[in-house]
Amino acid sequence: IALVAGPAIVRTGACQHLVRLIEAGFVDRLFAGNPFAGYDVERALFGTSLGISLDLAFARGGRENVMRAVNAIRQAGSLGAAVKQNILNSGIMHACVRNNVDIVLTGSIRDEGSIPGATTDAIEGQKLLREKLTDVTHALLLASIRHSLAVVSMLPPTTKIVCVDIDSSAVERVVEQQPLQSIGMITDVEPFLRELADCLTGSKVSQ
């Protein structure tokens, strides 16, 4: 089971629901852009995403927090090392490391700072995606139009796909790539992940 994750998962406070799915064994491989990892680490270390807390307040340090988060991982050497050194002890990246989820991060020229382990070469990133998608049987594409389009174009025709995005045009663009095995849902990613985690893990978290 592969999951393509967009930054909206972090920004909407849906991290805890994805962590529950990871801990319950429902995610084998996570595909994301470099910023997703940066924002998740920022949330874990500083309680913000792009300098904004979950209650939409600007935090002290503002957008500097994401660079502080990236530099903390760089200083540790990797996400795995940061978890081992107890620098990173919560969040999605932490859950992936602790539960042996294969993390596939790709960067772009727009990134503010690269997480160690992220592939920054576009051609190498495409090769890596193709390699990591060959054995995927189910793909969940969440709030990440660019990564979702890249991944869906490389998936085998037998892979079952669910695409979730609040933007109807984004869902339509992804589903039309593989119309026979895709389901599209136009909704916010936080309530979707919350209900999915509740159903699959049999437990609920207080809001």
Side-chain angles (χ1 to χ4, degrees):
I1 301 173
L3 188 141
V4 177
I9 294 173
V10 179
R11 294 174 187 167
T12 59
C15 296
Q16 58 183 328
H17 311 308
L18 181 50
V19 166
R20 284 194 288 154
L21 291 173
I22 292 169
E23 291 177 342
F26 288 105
V27 179
D28 300 303
R29 197 163 292 149
L30 185 139
F31 295 87
N34 178 71
F36 174 83
Y39 300 153
D40 177 66
V41 173
E42 179 192 351
R43 178 77 74 196
L45 297 183
F46 304 107
T48 63
S49 174
L50 275 180
I52 301 175
S53 62
L54 280 177
D55 58 5
L56 301 182
F58 285 100
R60 185 176 181 180
R63 287 178 63 94
E64 295 175 6
N65 282 352
V66 68
M67 287 309 303
R68 292 191 179 104
V70 170
N71 286 335
I73 303 302
R74 284 178 172 172
Q75 188 171 11
S78 66
L79 288 165
V83 172
K84 190 173 183 180
Q85 296 169 29
N86 207 32
I87 295 169
L88 183 63
N89 50 32
S90 65
I92 297 166
M93 295 296 104
H94 172 265
C96 286
V97 171
R98 292 292 299 273
N99 292 273
N100 298 314
V101 173
D102 192 5
I103 303 170
V104 182
L105 300 176
T106 51
S108 77
I109 197 171
R110 302 183 309 273
D111 294 346
E112 294 161 309
S114 183
I115 292 280
T119 303
T120 55
D121 183 289
I123 302 302
E124 290 303 315
Q126 187 181 62
K127 290 178 181 178
L128 181 62
L129 286 177
R130 290 188 184 280
E131 176 188 331
K132 296 287 187 177
L133 288 168
T134 54
D135 60 346
V136 170
T137 58
H138 295 75
L140 189 56
L141 316 179
L142 301 179
S144 179
I145 180 62
R146 291 184 182 88
H147 256 73
S148 294
L149 285 170
V151 166
V152 78
S153 67
M154 302 179 193
L155 285 170
T158 54
T159 303
K160 293 179 174 64
I161 302 164
V162 177
C163 176
V164 179
D165 202 298
I166 202 167
D167 183 348
S168 59
S169 63
V171 173
E172 182 180 3
R173 288 173 65 190
V174 172
V175 171
E176 70 183 6
Q177 294 270 347
Q178 300 278 9
L180 298 181
Q181 69 267 25
S182 300
I183 296 173
M185 297 186 67
I186 303 167
T187 185
D188 183 40
V189 71
E190 193 278 336
F192 171 80
L193 274 174
R194 184 195 330 138
E195 188 155 346
L196 181 63
D198 289 347
C199 290
L200 291 179
T201 66
S203 62
K204 295 183 178 182
V205 295
S206 57
Q207 299 302 309

